């Protein structure tokens, strides 16, 4: 290939690439990025959404440094992530592995069963969760008692509420993430495994040395998206506990939502949202770095 | 090169698609002004409502937006009211929309007002009252009261909506709290209807079994949580804020006592920490899952209609030793957007609905739901209903001790709610909770008044 | 021995699947309860108040709301699939200056909680003239970095040989994408379609803010309206309405199910 041809192709590639990206760039710019900039602008103001904004400089940011409730909510969010993300990742990966091994008609049946809860909307899932986990009447406590356990407080307990919420969110999301893993697994050519089998690698070994490395991109995706999602879980918490009991489930987004919409401190809420954004951003960057550096190692 | 253009061409087409959708959107809107007119006739814009083509009647009607949060029977009542008003005059046409209660205050109203498309007429809760009043979103209704109407209202009910001598909203209902109980359960346990705090506690203790809760109180934070608790504070002469509302008076023995009393029911398992039905629903008593419940006048209709086989009765809230009777009088208020171009027309509707003919107000308070009207003439006109069954207890024994729900900003509500939960979950005792919360209330006030 | 081993996994799978379905089952039997018994714990259906479904269907705007939601969700999903696949492909397979910046920027838009940009987004959407219209429901929902990100990860694993061959045969880059890569993306398009459809089917806050006209209400608004939040919530009706509202999604799942299998067959080309 002559250098000239390469340059023509390269230029062609650039133009196509930007052509392909253009609709999304414009859309994300108008409907996501500009609102973010607007929110940042609002964070520099005292603003209750009802009256005109009053410029306040960095006052909102200074205020949040000393806002104990805010930092408590950040800790709650991190706790939730640490519980939820690995649980979701492991359970959807394991169910995908299991489904991948099931042959024939049973595979479709089980897959549908796992996916079914995903069709339940977040608010309804929260209502079902409350219904199942009710300390006095809930199915879970009835079953616990049948099995000889003692009834639990679940959502009414400061120590169990967060786990109960994680359980409900997990329940509706496992199936979907499992499907994403499954699609990636189905892409792995079968002869890889056959070759490995000839070499005597089956079960765990073929999973460890074939499946897992080839799921790299999907795993990265699921980890990052789930982490981001875990920082934004709002609807179920809003319905199930509204942050209680005793603020034990008041995660950052909920606190932001309360500041913004219950108390109409829009400027302050925007500042909080920005700090939360920075936290998520750093965490995702860290995850990306960690996961891509591992790639060379494998 | 041609390949390049193909790539670009596709991008251009997709972009065009986006733009087309965007323009198509506004295009549709213009050509279809009739259908989308409700959105256009916003607060400021409604003056130019004469371009709303299909108002049917010469096209000169002023369009007013009315946002509400009621559902079911209450929604029907307001729809009926709007329809009737639209028929009896031809100057304005009111468009009624109603939203889920939680979203109404937290989302729908603020976003609508922020964009300058707020409703002309809306319902306001005590927690949002001051913020809206200070932002100029509540018009002074004083001049629009019909002759003699102001005097008809209970002074306290008007005081609760007055700022700087201006009546900023119209109260149209007073919802009073009482202690509802299951007569049979009390009898079976040989318990008298509790009149004092000690008796209430003892009764709850005696009535609690693993199937039945002794006393239902709201367990989750929120305006309703505080609303039910205030009477316990007031009965001893305590209060959250000073009379002028400028500083906290929370760190007192009265607060501590009220907090401890409240917390005890939860700590000892006499009141469940989580409820399936709302704490305001009488269903807990109706389904015989509870022996007593503190809830408002609104519960009467449902208790009589749905749970007529359950012997439910009501008594005044028990009071502490040496205390005096007090109960909370809640209720939303009717407000007119101060930034509306048609304040006068909107205010006329509001007055017509609840300050004019007593029959409309009476229908609301006695047929649609059960509440007290803040108007003496209405209570007078409904004398017969107000002395029927449990209503008689409210009329004769509770009504006089009513104190309108305070219009504390939501920042303050939040701190008070925290204090209550600290005690419920055993983090602090009442005294400590009151002490910790006192400076926080002052901070919250400063923040809210900024 | 071999037979029994082959049976273990399906049995475990079905048992776990039943556990997943248990809460849905509870919702179903509760939706057939009366207003006052809806919360009573019973493992078996003891009441069959089919009238709940009738009430939910006839005494609310549910039928219209379902049509609205279908229109919005299908439109958003179809347009989003094409746009996102294009972007994902460009980010995974094409080289151009500023690639990592564009990717990082797109990814970062995922990190902002929707509730906080809701108000500015509303102001902008309204200024574009899309307020209180189907377009206001549809257009802002199309753009979301989630799909772009997933397509990108998918195309990164895609065999390069196919494209190289296509390019050599004279197909343009765009042609390669639309003729070769996109049709072979079924394995990822199917789950994404499910995800996108559902996200839009479930969206509530945005429709609540952007619409005034009740004719534009979507399913979740109608559900919230039935929940109400007043003095009493008819949970049996709410649950019946929730069951009805879930039916279109269940149907989608069953259809998608077939394509999930087909997607696997197609990728057998490799």
């Amino acid at each position: 290939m002559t250098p000239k041809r390469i340059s023509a192709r390269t230029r062609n590639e650039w133009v196509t690439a930007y052509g392909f990206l253009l609709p999304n760039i414009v859309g994300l710019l108008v409907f996501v990025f500009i609102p973010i900039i607007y929110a940042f602008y609002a964070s520099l103001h005292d603003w209750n959404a009802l009256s005109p904004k009053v410029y306040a400089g960095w006052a909102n940011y200074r205020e949040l440094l000393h806002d104990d409730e805010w930092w408590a909510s950040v800790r709650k969010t991190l706790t939730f992530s640490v519980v939820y993300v690995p649980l979701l990742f492991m359970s959807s990966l394991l169910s995908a592995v299991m489904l991948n091994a099931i042959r024939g008609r049973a595979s479709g049946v089980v897959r549908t069963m796992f996916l079914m809860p995903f069709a339940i909307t977040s608010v309804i899932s929260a209502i079902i969760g409350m219904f199942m986990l009710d300390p006095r009447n809930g199915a879970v406590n009835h079953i616990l008692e049948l099995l000889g356990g003692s009834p639990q407080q679940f959502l009414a307990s400061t120590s169990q509420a967060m786990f109960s919420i994680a359980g409900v969110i997990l329940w509706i999301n496992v199936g979907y993430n499992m499907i994403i893993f499954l699609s990636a697994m189905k892409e792995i050519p079968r002869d890889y495994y056959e070759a490995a089998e000839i070499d005597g690698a089956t079960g765990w070994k073929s999973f460890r040395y074939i499946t897992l490395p080839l799921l790299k991109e999907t795993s990265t995706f699921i980890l990052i998206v789930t982490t981001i999602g875990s920082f934004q879980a709002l609807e179920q918490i809003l319905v199930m506990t509204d942050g209680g009991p005793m603020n034990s489930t008041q995660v950052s987004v909920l606190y932001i939502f309360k500041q913004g919409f219950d108390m109409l401190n829009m400027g302050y809420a925007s500042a909080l949202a920005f700090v939360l954004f920075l936290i998520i951003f750093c965490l995702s960057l860290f995850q990306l770095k960690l996961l891509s550096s591992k790639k060379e190692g494998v | 090169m041609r390949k390049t253009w193909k790539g670009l061409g596709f991008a251009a087409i997709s972009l065009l698609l986006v733009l087309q959708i965007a323009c198509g959107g506004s295009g549709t809107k213009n050509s279809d002004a009739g259908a989308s007119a409700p959105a256009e006739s916003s607060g400021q814009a409604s003056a130019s409502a004469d371009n709303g083509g299909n108002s049917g009647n010469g096209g000169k009607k002023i369009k007013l937006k009315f946002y509400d949060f009621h559902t079911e029977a209450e929604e029907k009542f307001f729809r009926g009211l709007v329809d009737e008003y639209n028929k009896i005059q031809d100057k304005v046409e009111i468009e009624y929309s109603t939203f889920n209660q939680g979203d109404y205050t937290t989302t729908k109203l603020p976003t609508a007002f922020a964009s300058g498309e707020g409703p002309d007429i809306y319902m306001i809760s005590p927690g949002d009252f001051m913020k809206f009043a200070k932002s100029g979103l509540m018009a002074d209704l004083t001049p629009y009261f019909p002759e003699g109407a102001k005097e008809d209202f209970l002074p306290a009910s008007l005081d609760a909506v007055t700022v700087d001598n201006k009546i900023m909203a119209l109260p149209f209902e007073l919802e009073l709290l009482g202690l509802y109980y299951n007569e049979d359960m009390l009898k079976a346990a040989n318990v008298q209807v509790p009149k004092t705090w000690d008796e209430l506690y003892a009764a709850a203790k005696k009535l609690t079994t693993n199937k039945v809760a002794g006393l239902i109180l709201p367990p989750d934070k929120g305006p309703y949580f505080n609303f039910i608790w205030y009477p316990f504070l007031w009965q001893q002469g305590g209060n959250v804020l000073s009379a002028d509302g400028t500083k906290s008076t929370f760190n007192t023995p009265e607060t501590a006592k009220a907090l401890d009393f409240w917390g005890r029911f939860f700590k000892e398992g006499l009141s469940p920490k989580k409820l399936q039905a709302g704490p305001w629903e009488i269903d807990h008593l109706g389904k015989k899952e509870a022996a007593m419940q503190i809830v408002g006048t609104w519960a009467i209709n449902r208790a009589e209609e749905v749970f007529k086989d359950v012997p439910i009765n009501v008594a005044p809230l028990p009071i502490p030793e040496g205390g005096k009777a007090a109960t909370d009088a809640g209720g939303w208020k009717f407000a007119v957007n101060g930034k509306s171009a048609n304040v006068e027309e909107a205010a006329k509707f509001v007055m017509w609905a609840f300050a004019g003919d007593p029959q409309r107000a009476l229908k609301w308070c006695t047929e649609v739901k059960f509440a007290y009207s803040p108007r003496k003439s209405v209570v007078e006109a409904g004398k017969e209903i107000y002395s029927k069954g449990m209503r008689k207890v409210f009329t004769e024994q509770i009504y006089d001790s009513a104190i309108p729900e305070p219009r504390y900003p939501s920042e303050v509500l939040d701190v008070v709610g925290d204090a209550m939960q600290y005690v419920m979950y055993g983090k602090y005792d009442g005294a400590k909770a009151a002490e910790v919360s006192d400076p926080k209330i002052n901070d919250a006030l400063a923040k809210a008044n900024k | 021995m071999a037979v029994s081993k082959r049976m273990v996994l399906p049995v475990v799978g079905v048992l776990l699947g039943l556990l997943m379905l248990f809460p849905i089952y509870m919702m179903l039997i509760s939706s057939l309860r009366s207003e006052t018994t809806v919360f009573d714990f019973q493992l078996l259906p003891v009441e069959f108040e089919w009238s709940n479904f009738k009430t939910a269907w006839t005494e609310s705007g549910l039928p219209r709301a379902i049509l609205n939601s279908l229109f919005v969700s299908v439109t958003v999903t179809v347009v989003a699939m094409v746009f996102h696949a294009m972007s994902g492909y460009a980010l995974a397979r094409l080289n151009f200056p500023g690639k990592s910046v564009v990717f990082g920027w797109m990814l970062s838009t995922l990190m902002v909680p929707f509730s906080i940009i809701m108000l500015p987004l509303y102001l902008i959407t309204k200024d574009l003239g899309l307020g209180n219209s189907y377009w206001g429901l549809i257009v802002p929902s199309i753009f979301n970095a989630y799909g772009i990100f997933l397509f990108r990860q998918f195309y990164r694993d895609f065999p390069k040989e196919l494209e190289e061959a296509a390019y050599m045969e004279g197909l343009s880059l765009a042609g390669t994408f639309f003729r070769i890569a996109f049709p072979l993306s079924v394995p990822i398009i199917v789950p994404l379609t499910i995800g996108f459809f559902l996200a839009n089917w479930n969206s509530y806050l945005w429709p609540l803010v952007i619409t005034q006209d009740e004719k534009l209400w979507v399913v979740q608004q109608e559900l919230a309206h039935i929940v109400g939040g007043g003095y009493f919530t008819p949970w049996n009706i709410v649950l019946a309405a929730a069951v009805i509202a879930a039916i279109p999604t269940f149907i989608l799942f069953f259809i998608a199910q077939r394509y999930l299998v087909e997607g696997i067959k197609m990728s057998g080309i490799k």
Side-chain angles (χ1 to χ4, degrees), chain A residues 61 64 70-71 74 256 269-281:
Chain A
Y61 290 90
L64 74 84
W70 161 250
W71 294 111
V74 173
I256 295 173
S270 304
L272 296 177
F274 243 80
V275 173
L276 182 66
F277 168 76
L278 287 180
I279 295 173
I280 303 177
F281 187 78

Side-chain angles (χ1 to χ4, degrees), chain A residues 8 11-12 15-16 18-20 22-23 26-27 31 46-52 60 63 67 69 130-132 134-138 153 155-158 239-242 244-247 250 255 257-266 268, chain B residues 1 3-5 7-8 10-12 14-15 18 105-107 109-111 113-115 128 131-132 134-137 210-213 216 220-221 272-276 284 287 289-290 339 410-411 414 418 421-423 425-427 447-448 450:
Chain A
R11 210 167 45 186
N12 180 3
V15 176
T16 311
Y18 273 104
F20 274 17
L22 196 62
V26 174
F31 296 112
D46 270 336
W47 184 37
N48 68 3
L50 309 173
S51 317
N60 285 324
E63 187 178 337
D67 185 344
E69 211 175 335
M130 286 170 76
F131 174 57
M132 303 282 297
D134 188 76
R136 293 196 298 164
N137 267 328
Q153 286 290 311
L155 295 166
S157 149
T158 48
V239 175
M240 284 196 274
T241 61
D242 199 10
M246 223 171 77
N247 294 345
Q250 183 168 278
Y255 185 64
F257 190 79
K258 278 191 175 172
Q259 282 289 342
F261 290 100
D262 278 356
M263 304 176 184
L264 295 181
N265 296 322
M266 284 289 176
Y268 187 56
Chain B
M1 251 350 249
K3 283 170 196 160
T4 313
W5 282 112
L8 254 190
F10 189 81
S14 4
L15 187 65
V18 177
T105 33
T106 56
T107 313
L109 275 190
T111 46
F113 279 120
S115 70
D128 288 327
K131 238 169 213 159
F132 278 66
K134 270 187 294 184
S135 301
L137 293 173
N210 52 11
K211 289 260 176 279
V212 174
I216 298 289
D220 298 319
K221 255 173 76 178
K273 286 180 185 160
K274 199 80 195 169
L275 299 173
Q276 285 190 311
H284 302 280
K287 292 171 69 186
E289 282 171 359
K339 291 179 179 162
S410 14
E411 286 91 340
D414 196 53
D418 278 340
Q421 287 219 324
Y422 289 153
V423 179
Y425 282 90
K427 187 177 179 186
K447 207 171 167 190
K450 204 157 57 177

Side-chain angles (χ1 to χ4, degrees), chain B residues 358-404:
Chain B
Q359 286 313 313
R360 270 184 295 275
L362 187 65
K363 187 180 174 198
W364 172 255
C365 287
T366 58
E367 282 173 44
V368 181
K369 61 190 285 185
F370 180 73
Y372 281 82
S373 172
R375 290 168 60 191
K376 292 164 224 159
S377 63
V378 176
V379 178
E380 191 62 32
K383 218 174 187 171
E384 210 176 303
I385 301 160
Y386 283 113
S387 56
K388 243 172 55 188
M390 285 188 265
R391 296 171 184 82
K392 194 172 173 183
V393 180
F394 276 106
T395 308
E396 290 178 1
Q397 303 175 47
I398 300 177
Y399 185 75
D400 289 336
S401 61
I403 299 171

Side-chain angles (χ1 to χ4, degrees), chain B residues 322-346:
Chain B
K324 63 172 199 310
T327 196
D328 218 335
W332 288 61
K333 318 284 189 288
F334 228 152
V336 167
N337 181 355
K339 291 179 179 162
S340 164
N342 301 292
V343 170
E344 188 180 345
E345 299 305 327

Side-chain angles (χ1 to χ4, degrees), chain B residues 66 68 70 74-75 78-79 82 94-98, chain C residues 214:
Chain B
F66 173 12
D68 187 17
H70 286 103
E74 288 102 21
E75 174 185 340
F78 277 105
R79 274 191 201 285
V82 167
I94 298 172
E95 316 247 356
Y96 176 79
S97 330
T98 185
Chain C
E214 264 172 53

